[in-house]
């Protein structure tokens, strides 16, 4: 009896300490999911907004769907005090940051914050250059769980060294903090980011459009997708390519384009950081962001990024191997017209993944947007894919 009691005490102790002792290297074993203020609200952040967003995430099913990091982007900070501590905007955060973090934690969410490796952030607020260890200790004191670290006003620093300094500071701050490298892919962070951070931006900022160009920087969804194909080998548990945050629900794309955006981010094992106003999502936005079948592809524990399996110019096929011998396959239509797909699995020459061969076994074809089986690989796959749309399926062996 006594032994059993000691055993239970030991178990409780182990469970309690597990959260605190989680090492930097053990974080983000699947792509981080959450919400970030930037895409919709820019500099317009406040205690009120963040607390309302926390409420919304719990009430509208986002947390349940897996979105557990709530991240404040730029503009929460205004200056440094006489000893160099970062000062929170007193008008927008009248009760300080710790109060906001505590509120977010009480809701069952994790809290993320933003800073910059340069002397100033992209919006001209104080950056962390020269204050990395001090800032990391402040974040730990507040209870921060995630840091997005930008690259404006970097003043000629070496990117790897600059990010390593903040990484070292986070590793020493006494709290597990996911480190999001936001260097826009300029110095190929996929080649040096593993072990320094858990995710790294691969491109300039996303714009809320399917395909568009900006002379002042920024890319639409299609151009971002094109840049990810070559980076497949760099992603894996704890270290992810980050094609930037989601624009789903912000109004710049059609329903089918947003489905493509979300599906491809899932296929690419990208972090899924919603960037819309979660307090008033319409039904389509909610349907997209909380699609459990698509999210399961993104969060699959194998952690593989999809490869561009076939490039037919205007049509593409991407494949993402999943655990349990399954594979997600995405047919992507880049054109303005319907793609009348008539796919004969028997004519396929390559394997989707080492273990997945449609010639050796028969697979069920499960449509991840219709949420039902739509056939088998022993039959042709005949389907209409809308303009700028996708068909995404999961193949699993017929038992
Ligand atoms: C950069 C980043 C964005 C955002 C803004 C904030 O442009 O890439 O994601 O954080 O700064 O100023």
């Amino acid at each position: 009896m006594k032994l059993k009691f000691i055993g239970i005490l030991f178990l409780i102790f182990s469970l309690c300490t597990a959260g605190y002792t989680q090492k930097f290297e053990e974080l983000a074993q699947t792509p981080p999911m959450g919400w970030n203020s930037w895409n919709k609200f820019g500099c317009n952040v406040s205690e009120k907004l963040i607390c309302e967003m926390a409420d919304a995430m719990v009430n509208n099913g986002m947390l349940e769907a897996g979105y557990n990091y709530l991240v404040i982007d730029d503009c929460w900070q205004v200056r440094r005090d006489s000893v160099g501590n970062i000062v929170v905007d007193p008008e927008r955060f009248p009760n300080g940051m710790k109060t906001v973090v505590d509120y977010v934690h009480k809701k069952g969410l994790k809290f993320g914050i933003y800073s910059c490796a340069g002397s100033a952030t992209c919006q001209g607020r104080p950056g962390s250059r020269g204050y990395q260890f001090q800032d990391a200790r402040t974040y730990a004191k507040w209870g921060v769980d995630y840091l997005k670290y930008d690259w404006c006003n970097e003043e000629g620093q070496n990117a790897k060294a600059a990010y390593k300094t903040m990484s070292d500071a986070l590793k020493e701050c006494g709290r597990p903090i996911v480190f999001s490298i936001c260097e826009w892919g300029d110095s190929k962070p996929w080649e040096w980011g593993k072990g320094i951070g858990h995710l790294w931006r691969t491109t300039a900022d996303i714009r809320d459009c399917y395909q568009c160009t900006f002379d002042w920087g920024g890319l639409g969804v299609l151009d971002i997708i094109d840049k990810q194909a070559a980076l497949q080998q760099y992603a894996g548990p704890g270290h992810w390519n980050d094609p930037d945050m989601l624009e789903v629900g912000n109004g710049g794309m059609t329903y089918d384009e947003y489905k493509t955006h979300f599906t491809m981010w899932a296929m690419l094992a990208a972090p899924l950081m919603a960037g819309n106003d979660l307090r008033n999502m319409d039904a389509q936005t909610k349907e997209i962001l909380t699609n459990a079948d698509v999210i399961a592809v993104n969060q699959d524990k194998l952690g593989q990024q999809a490869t561009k399996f076939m490039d037919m110019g205007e049509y593409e096929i991407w494949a993402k191997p999943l655990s349990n011998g399954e594979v997600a396959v995405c047919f992507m239509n880049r054109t303005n017209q319907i793609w009348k797909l008539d796919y004969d699995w028997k004519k396929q020459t390559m394997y989707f993944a080492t273990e997945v061969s449609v010639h050796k076994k028969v697979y069920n074809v499960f449509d991840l947007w219709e949420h039902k089986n739509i056939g088998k690989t022993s039959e042709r796959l005949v389907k209409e894919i809308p303009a700028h749309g996708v068909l995404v399926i999961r193949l699993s062996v017929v038992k």
Side-chain angles (χ1 to χ4, degrees):
M1 186 63 192
K2 206 171 170 190
L3 265 180
K4 203 170 165 192
F5 180 66
I6 293 171
I8 291 170
L9 271 185
F10 181 72
L11 184 71
I12 293 172
F13 176 77
S14 316
L15 288 175
C16 289
T17 51
Y20 296 106
T21 53
Q22 199 178 15
K23 293 195 190 76
F24 187 88
E25 304 76 49
E26 295 164 358
L27 298 169
Q29 290 303 296
T30 59
M33 292 176 68
W35 178 85
N36 174 298
S37 54
W38 182 253
N39 283 355
K40 175 74 185 175
F41 297 96
C43 264
N44 208 3
V45 290
S46 64
E47 172 179 327
K48 184 170 177 289
L49 178 83
I50 299 306
C51 293
E52 285 178 8
M53 217 54 75
D55 293 346
M57 283 171 90
V58 174
N59 297 336
N60 64 15
M62 286 292 281
L63 174 60
E64 208 185 333
Y67 298 85
N68 60 348
Y69 285 97
L70 192 164
V71 183
I72 306 189
D73 209 278
D74 209 347
C75 302
W76 58 269
Q77 64 288 68
V78 281
R79 60 182 180 87
R80 290 195 182 271
D81 69 12
S82 58
V83 290
N85 288 325
I86 191 77
V87 177
V88 179
D89 184 333
E91 271 158 38
R92 289 174 173 269
F93 298 89
N95 301 299
M97 200 54 89
K98 177 94 172 54
T99 308
V100 181
V101 180
D102 288 348
Y103 187 88
V104 168
H105 281 163
K106 277 205 198 91
K107 290 274 161 181
L109 294 156
K110 291 174 189 255
F111 183 87
I113 208 158
Y114 163 100
S115 189
C116 184
S119 54
T121 71
C122 297
Q123 301 305 312
R125 307 303 176 95
S128 289
R129 187 173 187 192
Y131 297 90
Q132 295 89 341
F133 284 77
Q134 190 171 356
D135 283 352
R137 280 196 299 273
T138 303
Y139 303 152
K141 204 170 71 193
W142 289 343
V144 168
D145 307 292
Y146 184 108
L147 173 67
K148 173 177 169 183
Y149 202 53
D150 219 333
W151 191 231
C152 280
N153 306 298
E154 36 88 11
E155 296 157 337
Q157 293 178 82
N158 173 285
K160 181 178 176 186
Y163 281 92
K164 182 161 186 311
T165 305
M166 187 43 111
S167 175
D168 290 344
L170 294 176
K171 285 169 186 162
E172 281 189 18
C173 77
R175 193 176 167 84
I177 297 182
V178 170
F179 190 30
S180 157
I181 297 172
C182 178
E183 179 270 1
W184 320 312
D186 289 0
S187 68
K188 302 189 178 164
W190 43 89
E191 287 179 355
W192 51 259
K194 186 178 169 189
I196 291 180
H198 302 98
L199 56 154
W200 45 80
R201 281 274 298 277
T202 56
T203 67
D205 289 8
I206 190 169
R207 303 293 169 209
D208 187 14
C209 53
Y210 181 72
Q211 192 172 24
C212 48
T213 45
F214 291 86
D215 48 9
W216 44 277
L219 296 169
V221 159
L222 200 58
D223 287 326
I224 291 184
I225 292 170
D226 290 345
K227 286 179 184 285
Q228 308 313 305
L231 305 180
Q232 183 264 340
Q233 58 172 300
Y234 299 104
H239 51 100
W240 310 101
N241 291 310
D242 174 9
D244 206 357
M245 303 170 296
L246 299 168
E247 289 284 9
V248 178
N250 283 337
M253 287 180 247
T254 66
Y255 174 55
D256 285 318
E257 289 169 349
Y258 276 141
K259 279 165 82 178
T260 298
H261 174 23
F262 191 69
T263 302
M264 283 307 295
W265 262 234
M267 292 292 290
L268 293 166
L272 297 180
M273 303 301 284
N276 58 314
D277 190 344
L278 303 176
R279 296 167 303 181
N280 44 38
M281 287 198 280
D282 60 25
Q284 288 187 337
T285 302
K286 190 170 169 193
E287 181 213 348
I288 295 173
L289 288 174
T290 62
N291 181 332
D293 285 323
V294 172
I295 292 172
V297 167
N298 175 260
Q299 294 290 304
D300 184 83
K301 64 178 191 297
L302 212 55
Q304 283 208 30
Q305 178 172 323
T307 44
K308 199 192 278 184
F309 177 75
M310 200 174 280
D311 190 337
M312 297 166 272
E314 299 289 35
Y315 303 142
E316 292 172 8
I317 306 174
W318 292 70
K320 181 183 195 293
L322 306 172
S323 44
N324 307 331
E326 297 184 328
V327 64
V329 181
C330 180
F331 297 81
M332 191 172 100
N333 176 12
R334 303 169 69 104
T335 75
N336 292 321
Q337 278 101 40
I338 290 171
W339 174 9
K340 292 193 171 155
L341 177 73
D342 182 354
Y343 191 72
D344 187 350
W345 300 99
K346 288 193 210 88
K347 289 197 181 139
Q348 187 185 298
T349 48
M350 295 184 288
Y351 284 4
F352 282 129
T354 329
E355 309 244 313
V356 181
S357 166
V358 291
H359 300 290
K360 290 192 190 142
K361 293 172 190 160
V362 177
Y363 293 81
N364 276 320
V365 177
F366 185 87
D367 185 321
L368 301 181
W369 284 104
E370 286 184 6
H371 310 288
K372 62 174 196 212
N373 272 316
I374 56 168
K376 294 191 174 61
T377 52
S378 49
E379 308 149 1
R380 298 170 87 98
L381 176 60
V382 179
K383 199 86 180 148
E384 293 201 343
I385 304 174
H388 295 174
V390 288
L391 166 68
V392 62
I393 56 175
R394 194 182 63 229
L395 300 184
S396 45
V397 176
V398 175
K399 297 259 158 52

